[in-house]
Amino acid sequence: MLMQQIYWRPNCVIVQKPSLRGIGSNNHRCFQVGLSRALFVNQKKQKKFKNEYNKIKAMVVSEESKERKQVKATVTVKPAGEGVLSKLGLQRGLDKISELMGKTILLELVSSELDPKTKLEKKRIKGYVHLTNRSAEEVKYESEFEVPANFGEIGAVLVENEHRTEMFMREIVLDGFLTGPVKFSCESWVHSKFDNPTKRVFFSNKSYLPCETPEGLKLLREGELISLRGNGQGERQTFERVYDYDVYNDLGDPDTDPKHKRPVLGGTEHPYPRRCRTGRPRCNTDPLSEKRSNNVYVPRDECFSGVKQLVFSENTLQSVFNPLLSGLRASVIDKNIGFPLFSSIDELFNEGFNLPPQKEKGFLRTVLLRLVRLVSDATILRFETPATVDKDRFFWFRDEEFGRQTIAGLNPCCIQLVTEWPLKSKLDPNIYGPAESAITTEIIEQQIGGFLTVEEAIKQKKLFILDYYDFFLPLVEEVRKLEGTTLYGSRTLFFLTHDGAIRPLAIELARPPMNGKPQWRQVFTPSWHSTEVWLWRLAKTHVLAHDGGFHQLVSHWLRTHCSTEPYIIATNRQLSAMHPIYRLLLPHFRYTLEINALAREKLINVDGIIESSFTPKQHSLLVSSIAYDQHWQFDLQALPNDLIHRGIAVKDPNAPHGLKLAIEDYPYANDGLVLWDAIKSWVTDYVNHYYNTDSRNVESDKELQAWWEEIRNVGHGDKKDEPWWPNLKTNEDLIEIVTTIVWITSGHHAAMNFGQYTYAGYFPNRPAIARTSMPTEDPSDQELELFYNKPEVTLLKCFPSQIQALTVMTVLDILSTHSPDEEYLGQTIEPAWEEEPMVKAAFEKFKGKLTELEGIVDQRNADKNLRNRNGAGILPYELLKPTSEPGVTGKGVPYSISI
């Protein structure tokens, strides 16, 4: 029984001063009416009491006082004003008053043990922490708590934010224990209690499998997961942290225009991964579609940091893209007008493009310093010269560069080995025309020059294909109904030369029977004759538009951004924050939900940048749904499996990485396999550390099994019955699954994203759209005359329009930019990993392998025998080089899909 020392003052009785120290359950707020331990006898003298009250030190006299220890609590918070939800004015003033009154942040320390007598949770130790230091970098709050010696290990802290504005809490440290400080890495937004009275829970950095959860934390662990799942009802609020699933039904805007209706992606008709549910109301004109809004909900902890917000956020999109694109539209009277000369394209990098005066000059200068030059009252959009053009102005013109980029460019994961001849379509010939390709044996052997027969070339693994024939042909008729675009099914054949170069041999373009016309198809080859040369260049333009669209919609958006979102949702719903696999995956999921939500708002939405500037136009997202339905498999997202599936590699225990490559000098595969092995080694060490006994095994981990089941059956539910889903029963199963997820979010995304401006910034190299059909397909006399007299003009008319090119170039520059606070793979250890010596040692080994990869990449790029990454005018392949400086660098592998 605690004995209390009572201090008397005239007209009042005070028992204790609660806000200086948390004293078990006896910590109270003196200014709250009705408290039994703080009596105000004379209400008129409250002001005098308050001044004297702060001078009094509470005392507790107890027989157990010698058995208590003083524990100092330090809370580190990011300064106010950086958060999207930060509020100013009256509420900020009220927060300052609350701090003066001692009401700042309330902490409740939770024991890991149950009370041995009641078998219930021990009473939590409560107390306020107070502002002690404020700087531009951080704000610190501190206080001392008296913790009984028999309280047990503190495993969690509950936090109540007494301010009226949210705060970003970085860390809580409890110091004063013999075993050292107990740390709680928060890195989380804590809502105001006025928005939501529910307290936030933070677990210590020590990780626990579900079966090893301390008894005192079990209810908290389960309760936190329940709260994160929500109830699936209502519209989500900005301060919430609720993870739930929904289909992609928010890309259209039918209430503004019936033409803006878009199909729902997700379900039997259009299979698709699921996105994070926002709960917005349905459209008035289409109950299947969700209404659009300027603020798209993402769980609060998924939002950008302050620095990344400046580089790429909704504010950037609205305040920069909108006025910038408005300026482009005002400057370009005809949205369909192209570039009259190639010199006009070059001027974008030299003289720049004049825009009308911009109101947001200061903001434009801050965010788009690389692009926007403000001279007097004029605004000039002038692009940095891409590294490819800087090395070789005519790089895009060369056939060898066209072939090289299929294995060392922006989309190096689509080329396949030819294993059967003749090439045949799997489409219905009654609808789409003859199945057998128009690329004949004679054409290929003529291009090879008698060096090999086709049969010998296939046997020696010398023939490769970029095949978009069956994929795009069924869409041709619908796409061609749209203004300012065209489409073909295409096949492009390549030959692997003796020195490792990828030489293009032939391109087949096809249009199915449509509008009463029979099938049209034609094969184009490199030639010495001027007519065939220009037709070949035009055919390459169409193939590059196909490859560019497939890269953006499938290799990039679908395989990384879109397919990862269900992993993030399931991880937060089914794996506790103290689960070791949650903590392993956490850095690989940062900011992805936010960048995906922003993409739905401005990039892949109706009339967005993708729909307005890429070949399939408003069918663009449908293209990614078709690819998901026909091609996406989880097991093939693993780099080794992908290479084997495409015929590029076979298993060979004697070869590096256990694979023998058909193309030995394959930069994406060569560097990617080193990175894959480093990731897998790190994941193996990590997983084997936690799942190392019969009782600590993967199959009996209920949270882990629920996580994998939800990914398959809900997040990727349209694919739930596929036979290729890996089982999750052994350590090896878990290692392969986690390594695949980590590879996709780090290495694969880096290879698809950070070379965008480098390779597509000069758009003739990778035009986003081909606007006109081949001059040999049903040509008019006028078109033929133009082609023969001015073939360059015919090519320029096929390229994107001015506004399309400028829009895409601007967006690609931003998407290719590393922010100053980028978190690169293996660069910084997570606090929870540092707690475990074995995990810390494994991470240091991983970090060393990544440093070694840096040297390997440099060494390979310097090797003159590797012709796909070294030579006159050749850009070194650095997309999988782990670290980078800020900006557009064409290298650097962040932990996550953060842009």
Side-chain angles (χ1 to χ4, degrees):
M1 183 75 180
L2 296 176
M3 301 295 295
Q4 300 178 1
Q5 177 68 48
I6 300 178
Y7 286 84
W8 287 89
R9 279 295 205 239
N11 301 320
C12 66
V13 180
I14 303 174
V15 176
Q16 56 181 333
K17 182 180 181 183
S19 61
L20 283 178
R21 300 187 182 202
I23 310 177
S25 60
N26 296 315
N27 182 35
H28 298 278
R29 308 174 189 175
C30 291
F31 295 93
Q32 185 174 342
V33 177
L35 288 179
S36 60
R37 298 178 186 271
L39 307 177
F40 297 95
V41 178
N42 188 341
Q43 298 294 331
K44 294 181 180 181
K45 297 187 177 181
Q46 287 187 23
K47 183 175 181 181
K48 179 180 178 182
F49 161 77
K50 186 162 52 179
N51 292 333
E52 294 179 328
Y53 165 82
N54 287 322
K55 302 177 184 177
I56 301 173
K57 182 176 182 180
M59 295 179 62
V60 177
V61 180
S62 169
E63 295 176 358
E64 300 174 357
S65 61
K66 294 182 180 180
E67 299 178 12
R68 293 174 176 268
K69 48 181 166 283
Q70 299 291 326
V71 173
K72 180 181 179 181
T74 303
V75 179
T76 305
V77 173
K78 184 171 71 174
E82 294 186 28
V84 173
L85 301 182
S86 295
K87 304 168 187 176
L88 303 174
L90 177 62
Q91 292 191 341
R92 185 61 53 77
L94 291 172
D95 286 344
K96 291 182 178 179
I97 294 173
S98 295
E99 289 184 354
L100 291 173
M101 298 285 285
K103 296 181 178 180
T104 53
I105 303 171
L106 177 66
L107 302 185
E108 296 184 12
L109 311 186
V110 182
S111 174
S112 296
E113 302 174 0
L114 295 178
D115 187 304
K117 295 181 180 179
T118 64
K119 303 300 181 184
L120 301 175
E121 288 185 13
K122 292 184 177 181
K123 289 185 178 179
R124 297 164 185 169
I125 302 173
K126 303 180 182 180
Y128 288 99
V129 289
H130 307 288
L131 179 64
T132 58
N133 183 58
R134 185 189 298 273
S135 69
E137 291 75 29
E138 62 185 19
V139 181
K140 287 199 178 287
Y141 295 82
E142 296 179 352
S143 188
E144 289 188 352
F145 290 77
E146 288 189 355
V147 179
N150 63 353
F151 189 70
E153 183 179 347
I154 297 175
V157 175
L158 269 64
V159 177
E160 183 176 79
N161 175 13
E162 301 285 328
H163 298 80
R164 284 168 173 77
T165 54
E166 63 172 2
M167 59 173 56
F168 187 83
M169 193 165 289
R170 294 194 181 281
E171 185 183 45
I172 301 172
V173 179
L174 304 179
D175 200 2
F177 301 98
L178 293 176
T179 55
V182 180
K183 297 181 179 180
F184 302 77
S185 180
C186 307
E187 295 296 325
S188 176
W189 292 99
V190 179
H191 59 265
S192 165
K193 75 170 187 179
F194 298 97
D195 287 328
N196 182 358
T198 304
K199 298 179 178 68
R200 279 293 309 277
V201 58
F202 293 106
F203 297 105
S204 72
N205 292 350
K206 187 174 181 179
S207 299
Y208 295 98
L209 295 174
C211 63
E212 297 176 330
T213 309
E215 293 295 325
L217 303 178
K218 284 186 175 179
L219 289 179
L220 274 181
R221 181 171 186 152
E222 295 171 4
E224 176 72 354
L225 286 174
I226 291 171
S227 69
L228 288 168
R229 293 170 195 149
N231 59 9
Q233 302 297 316
E235 184 173 359
R236 298 268 65 87
Q237 302 301 309
T238 50
F239 58 82
E240 292 182 317
R241 296 167 58 250
V242 174
Y243 296 79
D244 202 355
Y245 300 94
D246 207 342
V247 293
Y248 279 74
N249 61 352
D250 63 341
L251 302 179
D253 194 6
D255 284 352
T256 61
D257 188 333
K259 294 181 181 179
H260 289 173
K261 182 179 178 179
R262 293 294 179 268
V264 174
L265 303 184
T268 54
E269 187 174 359
H270 301 298
Y272 217 57
R274 297 301 187 260
R275 64 169 175 91
C276 188
R277 180 185 177 275
T278 64
R280 290 178 291 185
R282 297 302 176 94
C283 293
N284 299 327
T285 58
D286 179 18
L288 296 178
S289 297
E290 188 174 86
K291 284 189 175 180
R292 297 181 60 78
S293 63
N294 291 330
N295 296 315
V296 182
Y297 167 80
V298 293
R300 191 64 186 100
D301 285 346
E302 307 298 330
C303 296
F304 288 153
S305 67
V307 175
K308 190 171 287 291
Q309 237 171 29
L310 181 64
V311 175
F312 190 83
S313 69
E314 187 170 3
N315 289 336
T316 305
L317 287 169
Q318 289 180 342
S319 301
V320 178
F321 282 176
N322 289 351
L324 197 58
L325 297 183
S326 298
L328 288 174
R329 294 187 182 101
S331 301
V332 182
I333 299 174
D334 183 355
K335 68 178 181 178
N336 294 317
I337 191 170
F339 291 87
L341 302 167
F342 275 96
S343 58
S344 304
I345 299 173
D346 294 337
E347 286 177 2
L348 298 176
F349 308 101
N350 301 321
E351 303 300 324
F353 188 88
N354 291 325
L355 295 174
Q358 300 286 309
K359 294 181 180 179
E360 296 84 354
K361 284 185 179 180
F363 197 78
L364 285 170
R365 180 181 281 118
T366 301
V367 179
L368 289 179
L369 186 61
R370 283 173 45 83
L371 299 182
V372 177
R373 302 291 183 268
L374 304 174
V375 182
S376 184
D377 291 331
T379 303
I380 299 175
L381 182 64
R382 187 170 65 195
F383 293 88
E384 292 281 333
T385 303
T388 43
V389 181
D390 194 44
K391 270 190 163 289
D392 181 357
R393 182 180 174 186
F394 301 104
F395 82 105
W396 66 278
F397 218 56
R398 295 186 284 108
D399 284 349
E400 54 268 35
E401 180 66 12
F402 173 50
R404 190 188 75 86
Q405 286 187 32
T406 61
I407 59 173
L410 191 54
N411 191 33
C413 55
C414 288
I415 190 170
Q416 304 174 62
L417 180 71
V418 174
T419 56
E420 296 180 354
W421 194 265
L423 302 173
K424 289 185 179 181
S425 169
K426 296 179 181 178
L427 299 174
D428 186 346
N430 295 318
I431 299 175
Y432 299 104
E436 188 169 313
S437 171
I439 302 177
T440 63
T441 301
E442 291 73 24
I443 291 174
I444 296 304
E445 291 184 351
Q446 182 180 9
Q447 287 297 314
I448 295 175
F451 179 68
L452 290 173
T453 65
V454 169
E455 185 180 350
E456 290 170 334
I458 292 174
K459 187 176 181 180
Q460 295 180 28
K461 297 185 177 180
K462 295 287 188 178
L463 276 186
F464 296 86
I465 188 171
L466 202 58
D467 192 352
Y468 297 124
Y469 192 91
D470 284 7
F471 187 77
F472 281 126
L473 200 62
L475 295 171
V476 168
E477 186 170 2
E478 288 301 313
V479 170
R480 287 196 174 198
K481 292 177 182 178
L482 307 175
E483 180 187 0
T485 188
T486 189
L487 186 62
Y488 293 104
S490 69
R491 296 184 179 104
T492 308
L493 252 64
F494 301 89
F495 180 74
L496 178 64
T497 66
H498 69 280
D499 58 0
I502 303 295
R503 175 188 161 196
L505 300 178
I507 292 172
E508 179 181 8
L509 300 179
R511 179 203 68 197
M514 54 182 283
N515 300 327
K517 297 179 181 180
Q519 183 198 53
W520 177 91
R521 61 180 181 173
Q522 188 172 346
V523 177
F524 304 90
T525 59
S527 174
W528 293 100
H529 188 269
S530 61
T531 301
E532 280 72 31
V533 166
W534 277 104
L535 288 174
W536 170 251
R537 288 168 182 163
L538 284 161
K540 281 200 302 181
T541 298
H542 284 278
V543 169
L544 288 167
H546 301 166
D547 192 58
F550 194 89
H551 158 261
Q552 201 65 263
L553 296 165
V554 181
S555 303
H556 184 195
W557 164 255
L558 175 65
R559 289 187 65 177
T560 65
H561 290 261
C562 188
S563 294
T564 296
E565 187 147 343
Y567 310 149
I568 300 171
I569 299 171
T571 298
N572 284 276
R573 287 169 55 88
Q574 300 299 340
L575 297 182
S576 166
M578 64 170 66
H579 197 291
I581 301 303
Y582 173 92
R583 285 174 162 160
L584 175 60
L585 291 172
L586 181 62
H588 300 288
F589 293 158
R590 288 190 182 119
Y591 309 132
T592 303
L593 292 192
E594 168 116 342
I595 194 66
N596 286 3
L598 294 174
R600 300 203 311 274
E601 280 300 287
K602 298 295 178 183
L603 297 177
I604 64 173
N605 59 300
V606 59
D607 280 350
I609 290 163
I610 296 293
E611 281 200 3
S612 64
S613 304
F614 283 76
T615 286
K617 286 209 162 180
Q618 58 243 50
H619 300 296
S620 292
L621 265 289
L622 188 60
V623 166
S624 65
S625 173
I626 294 169
Y628 181 71
D629 183 32
Q630 296 179 358
H631 302 296
W632 190 89
Q633 294 183 201
F634 179 85
D635 58 331
L636 296 184
Q637 306 312 296
L639 178 60
N641 294 347
D642 171 52
L643 295 172
I644 292 169
H645 177 72
R646 291 190 282 122
I648 302 295
V650 293
K651 291 183 179 180
D652 183 349
N654 298 317
H657 319 291
L659 293 178
K660 181 175 176 58
L661 294 174
I663 306 172
E664 293 183 7
D665 180 15
Y666 188 171
Y668 167 72
N670 297 139
D671 296 354
L673 286 170
V674 177
L675 181 56
W676 170 273
D677 283 356
I679 293 170
K680 188 168 186 177
S681 176
W682 153 240
V683 172
T684 299
D685 290 342
Y686 189 98
V687 167
N688 288 340
H689 172 72
Y690 286 100
Y691 297 95
N692 54 15
T693 65
D694 290 341
S695 60
R696 306 175 88 207
N697 66 80
V698 166
E699 199 166 9
S700 64
D701 187 331
K702 294 181 179 179
E703 285 185 5
L704 195 65
Q705 294 299 326
W707 168 75
W708 187 234
E709 182 179 357
E710 186 166 287
I711 285 174
R712 291 179 300 163
N713 295 325
V714 184
H716 284 278
D718 296 338
K719 294 272 195 174
K720 63 181 179 180
D721 297 323
E722 299 288 351
W724 39 254
W725 283 106
N727 293 315
L728 182 54
K729 296 182 178 180
T730 66
N731 284 22
E732 289 71 26
D733 296 336
L734 179 59
I735 290 164
E736 187 71 12
I737 289 168
V738 171
T739 301
T740 300
I741 293 174
V742 171
W743 159 253
I744 287 294
T745 57
S746 57
H748 181 77
H749 177 260
M752 298 302 112
N753 185 76
F754 292 105
Q756 289 190 90
Y757 189 75
T758 301
Y759 285 100
Y762 187 76
F763 67 85
N765 182 58
R766 290 188 71 79
I769 190 170
R771 295 189 296 151
T772 59
S773 299
M774 293 293 293
T776 52
E777 181 203 341
D778 304 327
S780 66
D781 293 339
Q782 185 179 3
E783 288 171 337
L784 276 179
E785 183 180 1
L786 177 64
F787 172 66
Y788 280 107
N789 290 329
K790 289 283 186 180
E792 178 183 337
V793 175
T794 300
L795 180 59
L796 287 166
K797 288 180 67 176
C798 188
F799 282 160
S801 68
Q802 289 187 19
I803 193 167
Q804 287 171 334
L806 293 168
T807 299
V808 171
M809 290 166 70
T810 303
V811 173
L812 294 186
D813 182 275
I814 293 176
L815 294 180
S816 302
T817 299
H818 289 293
S819 67
D821 67 341
E822 193 77 87
E823 300 172 39
Y824 295 103
L825 188 65
Q827 196 172 48
T828 306
I829 190 170
E830 291 288 298
W833 303 347
E834 204 167 16
E835 291 279 320
E836 292 285 342
M838 292 296 292
V839 172
K840 183 179 180 182
F843 177 81
E844 292 299 327
K845 184 174 74 172
F846 175 50
K847 188 174 183 179
K849 288 185 176 182
L850 295 179
T851 302
E852 184 181 356
L853 175 56
E854 297 261 349
I856 291 172
V857 171
D858 289 339
Q859 184 180 24
R860 286 172 172 171
N861 287 331
D863 189 344
K864 294 182 179 180
N865 294 316
L866 301 178
R867 299 208 167 193
N868 292 317
R869 58 198 308 161
N870 184 288
I874 296 293
L875 187 71
Y877 188 79
E878 296 185 313
L879 287 172
L880 292 174
K881 198 171 184 179
T883 58
S884 171
E885 308 80 37
V888 178
T889 63
K891 60 183 177 181
V893 181
Y895 271 107
S896 64
I897 305 164
S898 58
I899 195 166

